[in-house]
Amino acid sequence: MTTEAEEDRPLLERSSSFTGSSKTLNESDEESYGSIAQGATRAIEDDVLPETSTLGRTISWPSAYIIVISRVIGSGIFATPGVIVKSVGSVGLSLSLWVVGAIIAACSLAVTLEYGCMLPRSGGEKVYLEFTYRKPRFLASTLVAVQAVLLGFTASNCIIFAQYTLFAFDIEATDFRRKSLAVGLLTAITIVHGCFLRTGIWIQNFLGWIKVGLVIFMVLAGLFVVAFRERNADGTKSHFPTGDQLWEDTNWDWGIIATSLFKVFYSYAGLGNINNSVSITSLVTACILYLLVNIAYFTVIPLEEIRESKELIAALFFEKSFGPSWGKTVLPLAVALSGAGNVMVVTFALARLNQEIARQGFLPFSKVFASTKPFNAPMGALIVHYIPSLLVIALPPSSEVYSFILEVEGYPGTIFALALSIGLLYLRRKRPDLKRPFRAWTIAPVFRIILSLALLAAPFFPPKEKPTGGIWYATYAVVGVGILLFGVVYWYVWTVLIPKWTGYRLEEETSVLADGTSPETYDRVSEPHNVTVRDVRGKEDQFTLDKNGFQFYKHVSREKDFLDDEKIKAEYYPETEQLLKDATGATRIHIFDHTIRRQPPNQETITADRKLRGPVQRVHIDQSYAAAKSRVPYHLPADAAHLLTHRVQIINVWRPIKPVQRDPLAVAEADSVSDDGLVVTKLIYPNREGETYAVKYDAGHRWYYKSGLGPEEVILIKCFDSKLDGRARRVPHTAFEIPGTEEKDGRESIEVRCLVFHEDDTLE
């Protein structure tokens, strides 16, 4: 075994104190691969995170699509086009920025899709950055957490809701009224999501479809107006500029273009929430609709009026298209509802993100903020989201805060985009072993790096015409960097100063809250039960793989020490392949991993080699039926179609490294354990998702082991068999302790997991 490199350390470590095994055989409703309680820790590549969220994963493709498209299509398209064209001066540059924004969003999406395929775990940027940037420990995670909490607000859409509502009812939009309506909406949505979770999801889906329908209606309305409206004084039906007018008055100042791009980015934000075809479909949808809506604006509204419309360009469009009654009341109210829908979606998504941040210990009072009590909803996380949103709405002047919010969110976001793009190229070179079902074109991260550097430099290019009054042009950059610097200070105080002053170190600790939420999810609760385990010595030959699910097989290996992984793969793997062919008659074997289990004898050993794993004291089956079959295309993609038409097995070849004196392996006879007693347990790896079976206790289970088992004999453990003709398909197994053996040498063993193919037999 090799020692663990610094960069392979887990983000949170367990104490190196050794805990002995329990004295009973545990049958539980959840299973854990690692023997964490025995001093083993997982490097980040080996993380296995059970899916323990009490809210679960219940979103279908249509729901996922509408959540993403609702997150993407928000106040941006209803409010920013007028602000952008006023800043950049011309229609041509304004439309170009929307196209460039879509290209940049596509590059960013490509980067996150590759990350998501490599590291398929919940958490998005947090997971990607903490995986890539290991040193200083916790820094990347802390910065993402601080940015998410302090800048993860929905104030901008609340303000748009207030402005369009007041406009629709022809009420003067004073600062107090705008803020009151915005805070009222934020409060109502927080209560709905915090107390009526399912109702909130239904409402946000409904409003999401209204939003998509409204945007499509705006596109069609623009075409309708051009086709049927009366001609203007100059004899034209359209105000869309032509020829040289398209680029007239263009402002090429890079600082202005950068802040305009931040507003465009905001309109495309949210694509990375779900890393699959939903995001790609949403990007294409948004890009097409944004261009068409902008063209509709420029067609119906004179350019000078657009420049003065600020965030009310959609209201002006409706008034021009449908008159002062319908166009000024009903349709602006629809925009207000769309803004409310976006607030609901963003609140829903960010509350879950804040809950994950709290669960992992990056917030004070993490148990409170991670809990789903009292309404089975993330109330604590919603409060974390509510407070900064409330402050951003209430403190600055509401007439200026909208653009400022978009810019101040965009600057730190660009820093993270730069880090992700550089990190992706770094991982391609450093970690080519990580599987990448999707690989972004290299131009995508390279282009994102170049653009990010240019955008970060933009505040150092002051505009030629200094704006009078309002907020200083570079304030957004100062505030954005200030928030990240606050994150660095918070990280240093939390992880360095306080532990140093108080004499402790940060360690991983698992606790399960009263609602079932686990702030750290490496361990799972188990129930110990006393059972009878029968010794098969002298009767080993009576047990076979197809009849009982396990088999004892004599085989002497040339390998004795099992200390060098490369030697094991080069010499022991071929031995094991031939062993299985001889024992089962298989035509093909593929070994996909092995685990060596050695109980650390003392604390020094644990510190020297943190990859040691002790015996697993929980009853489990290594793969669920579905996960077992999925291993074939995962490991053998080129041959999977052929192999999956024939019989497939997964067999665990378990061998003692020295005679077993303590913690022997017990197996439960297959036909004594019904499928009803198997519980699927999700396992989230950094580079894939798997499933195991945990096993519910039943007094009818028949348990066996062989006393004094030595290295010259292996146990073949059937984890899966595709045949459905009544033979044993899987067998639960676990280590257990025999009273009186506590002081004997700890058990050492190696288990090799193998895909076993019978190309001369049918699948089922």
Side-chain angles (χ1 to χ4, degrees):
M1 302 293 288
T2 57
T3 57
E4 182 178 32
E6 172 68 22
E7 68 174 16
D8 290 333
R9 294 171 66 194
L11 292 173
L12 289 169
E13 294 183 3
R14 293 186 179 278
S15 169
S16 57
S17 59
F18 173 64
T19 305
S21 305
S22 63
K23 296 182 182 294
T24 55
L25 184 144
N26 293 313
E27 296 204 40
S28 65
D29 60 353
E30 292 189 285
E31 176 272 328
S32 173
Y33 268 130
S35 184
I36 298 300
Q38 280 79 25
T41 58
R42 300 185 182 93
I44 193 163
E45 283 83 359
D46 297 325
D47 277 351
V48 180
L49 301 181
E51 192 66 55
T52 58
S53 172
T54 56
L55 301 179
R57 295 184 174 188
T58 57
I59 298 177
S60 62
W61 197 98
S63 291
Y65 172 77
I66 198 59
I67 285 176
V68 174
I69 201 67
S70 295
R71 174 70 176 90
V72 174
I73 300 177
S75 61
I77 191 59
F78 299 127
T80 59
V83 178
I84 291 173
V85 76
K86 182 177 182 180
S87 298
V88 301
S90 70
V91 172
L93 182 53
S94 176
L95 290 176
S96 299
L97 291 182
W98 285 96
V99 176
V100 170
I103 295 171
I104 297 167
C107 292
S108 300
L109 180 57
V111 170
T112 57
L113 282 173
E114 182 170 336
Y115 265 113
C117 291
M118 284 192 297
L119 310 171
R121 286 169 49 187
S122 297
E125 282 187 356
K126 178 180 177 297
V127 170
Y128 309 153
L129 289 171
E130 71 187 11
F131 182 87
T132 307
Y133 300 98
R134 313 287 181 81
K135 300 176 184 178
R137 290 181 70 224
F138 306 118
L139 179 59
S141 301
T142 303
L143 290 178
V144 174
V146 167
Q147 190 261 356
V149 171
L150 296 184
L151 292 180
F153 36 66
T154 52
S156 55
N157 282 286
C158 291
I159 292 168
I160 293 302
F161 168 82
Q163 287 184 313
Y164 274 84
T165 301
L166 293 171
F167 178 87
F169 290 104
D170 200 21
I171 299 174
E172 183 183 356
T174 64
D175 195 60
F176 175 77
R177 288 170 179 162
R178 276 194 295 259
K179 289 180 178 180
S180 298
L181 266 178
V183 171
L185 175 68
L186 177 67
T187 305
I189 288 176
T190 301
I191 292 172
V192 169
H193 276 320
C195 302
F196 312 100
L197 183 65
R198 292 186 180 277
T199 301
I201 294 174
W202 183 88
I203 293 173
Q204 73 185 21
N205 287 349
F206 175 74
L207 293 178
W209 286 114
I210 287 181
K211 184 188 307 181
V212 174
L214 181 62
V215 173
I216 295 174
F217 174 77
M218 292 173 69
V219 173
L220 297 176
L223 297 175
F224 174 83
V225 170
V226 171
F228 297 103
R229 68 179 295 175
E230 296 181 0
R231 294 184 180 274
N232 301 315
D234 58 2
T236 64
K237 287 188 175 184
S238 170
H239 292 287
F240 195 89
T242 57
D244 294 339
Q245 294 179 338
L246 192 64
W247 298 91
E248 188 177 337
D249 299 325
T250 298
N251 185 347
W252 293 103
D253 185 277
W254 177 240
I256 297 297
I257 292 175
T259 56
S260 297
L261 276 174
F262 285 139
K263 295 178 179 69
V264 174
F265 295 161
Y266 171 78
S267 298
Y268 284 108
L271 290 168
N273 287 355
I274 299 177
N275 285 328
N276 58 18
S277 61
V278 171
S279 294
I280 299 172
T281 307
S282 300
L283 172 61
V284 174
T285 303
C287 179
I288 294 172
L289 291 178
Y290 286 171
L291 281 176
L292 293 176
V293 169
N294 270 277
I295 292 171
Y297 286 152
F298 297 129
T299 299
V300 174
I301 310 172
L303 184 57
E304 288 304 317
E305 294 186 39
I306 290 178
R307 288 171 176 165
E308 299 304 319
S309 65
K310 294 186 177 180
E311 290 86 25
L312 290 172
I313 184 171
L316 187 58
F317 171 83
F318 288 133
E319 187 175 6
K320 292 284 184 180
S321 300
F322 301 100
S325 56
W326 175 268
K328 192 176 180 181
T329 304
V330 178
L331 295 176
L333 276 178
V335 175
L337 285 176
S338 298
N342 190 265
V343 175
M344 293 198 75
V345 170
V346 174
T347 300
F348 177 82
L350 293 181
R352 285 200 167 200
L353 175 59
N354 290 341
Q355 188 180 37
E356 288 301 309
I357 291 170
R359 288 178 66 223
Q360 296 179 26
F362 289 96
L363 290 178
F365 312 107
S366 59
K367 291 185 178 180
V368 175
F369 295 133
S371 175
T372 60
K373 297 183 73 174
F375 301 108
N376 194 34
M379 177 62 81
L382 285 164
I383 293 173
V384 172
H385 169 264
Y386 179 84
I387 293 173
S389 297
L390 174 66
L391 293 176
V392 169
I393 292 172
L395 295 181
S398 60
S399 60
E400 299 179 2
V401 72
Y402 183 79
S403 293
F404 174 71
I405 289 172
L406 306 192
E407 294 161 8
V408 81
E409 284 181 340
Y411 202 79
T414 301
I415 295 175
F416 287 136
L418 176 64
L420 284 171
S421 300
I422 293 174
L424 188 72
L425 298 179
Y426 167 79
L427 287 177
R428 286 183 179 180
R429 182 175 180 181
K430 182 77 173 177
R431 296 299 309 275
D433 57 300
L434 292 174
K435 293 186 181 295
R436 296 168 170 83
F438 174 86
R439 186 182 178 94
W441 287 353
T442 303
I443 190 64
V446 171
F447 177 66
R448 196 71 178 93
I449 290 170
I450 295 171
L451 183 71
S452 296
L453 291 172
L455 290 173
L456 293 175
F460 301 100
F461 296 90
K464 295 176 183 178
E465 296 182 7
K466 299 284 180 72
T468 57
I471 301 176
W472 179 49
Y473 70 89
T475 302
Y476 71 94
V478 174
V479 174
V481 172
I483 287 174
L484 293 183
L485 289 176
F486 170 78
V488 173
V489 173
Y490 176 77
W491 163 82
Y492 185 75
V493 172
W494 172 53
T495 66
V496 180
L497 285 186
I498 295 179
K500 184 178 179 180
W501 290 341
T502 56
Y504 70 83
R505 64 179 182 179
L506 292 176
E507 294 178 350
E508 184 183 48
E509 180 182 83
T510 300
S511 59
V512 179
L513 305 183
D515 61 356
T517 302
S518 174
E520 282 297 336
T521 58
Y522 290 97
D523 281 345
R524 276 161 277 181
V525 179
S526 63
E527 290 182 358
H529 293 274
N530 293 320
V531 302
T532 299
V533 185
R534 296 175 176 84
D535 189 351
V536 303
R537 177 165 291 280
K539 303 177 182 178
E540 306 95 308
D541 296 341
Q542 298 179 11
F543 298 90
T544 65
L545 278 169
D546 284 346
K547 176 186 174 186
N548 310 96
F550 60 93
Q551 184 173 333
F552 297 89
Y553 193 86
K554 293 187 182 298
H555 180 271
V556 178
S557 173
R558 292 191 299 272
E559 177 63 33
K560 306 299 181 185
D561 299 322
F562 297 96
L563 296 173
D564 186 333
D565 274 358
E566 294 307 315
K567 186 179 179 183
I568 291 170
K569 292 176 182 178
E571 298 182 8
Y572 187 62
Y573 275 22
E575 278 188 358
T576 304
E577 289 182 17
Q578 190 58 50
L579 180 161
L580 279 172
K581 286 182 179 180
D582 294 341
T584 67
T587 58
R588 181 172 177 177
I589 307 293
H590 176 79
I591 297 175
F592 57 85
D593 72 13
H594 74 272
T595 301
I596 295 175
R597 302 196 185 275
R598 288 186 172 99
Q599 284 186 315
N602 52 50
Q603 183 168 328
E604 287 73 25
T605 302
I606 299 170
T607 303
D609 186 357
R610 302 195 64 87
K611 286 187 177 178
L612 295 181
R613 291 184 176 183
V616 176
Q617 297 280 347
R618 291 179 174 85
V619 178
H620 64 281
I621 300 171
D622 290 351
Q623 287 86 24
S624 70
Y625 294 145
K629 280 190 176 181
S630 72
R631 283 214 174 248
V632 179
Y634 180 78
H635 295 293
L636 301 167
D639 301 330
H642 165 71
L643 294 172
L644 286 174
T645 62
H646 302 283
R647 184 184 179 192
V648 181
Q649 296 174 296
I650 292 182
I651 295 178
N652 183 336
V653 181
W654 191 94
R655 181 189 297 273
I657 295 174
K658 62 183 183 180
V660 177
Q661 302 180 53
R662 172 181 169 185
D663 300 316
L665 184 74
V667 287
E669 197 164 15
D671 65 3
S672 72
V673 182
S674 70
D675 282 351
D676 292 340
L678 305 181
V679 180
V680 171
T681 304
K682 291 281 189 181
L683 300 176
I684 311 301
Y685 297 82
N687 59 347
R688 67 181 183 86
E689 180 176 314
E691 291 179 353
T692 68
Y693 279 136
V695 182
K696 294 180 181 179
Y697 169 73
D698 190 310
H701 293 171
R702 297 189 297 273
W703 287 95
Y704 300 93
Y705 86 110
K706 181 175 179 178
S707 60
L709 195 68
E712 72 287 348
E713 193 169 18
V714 300
I715 306 178
L716 304 180
I717 305 169
K718 186 185 288 189
C719 300
F720 171 75
D721 196 325
S722 64
K723 296 296 285 186
L724 303 176
D725 56 3
R727 70 188 72 196
R729 298 193 68 199
R730 74 290 178 276
V731 60
H733 54 282
T734 183
F736 74 103
E737 185 168 301
I738 299 176
T741 63
E742 293 85 357
E743 302 303 321
K744 293 187 177 182
D745 289 345
R747 184 247 279 176
E748 297 183 18
S749 62
I750 179 171
E751 53 197 85
V752 180
R753 299 181 183 90
C754 315
L755 282 164
V756 180
F757 300 102
H758 300 262
E759 294 167 284
D760 54 358
D761 198 355
T762 58
L763 180 66
E764 297 179 345

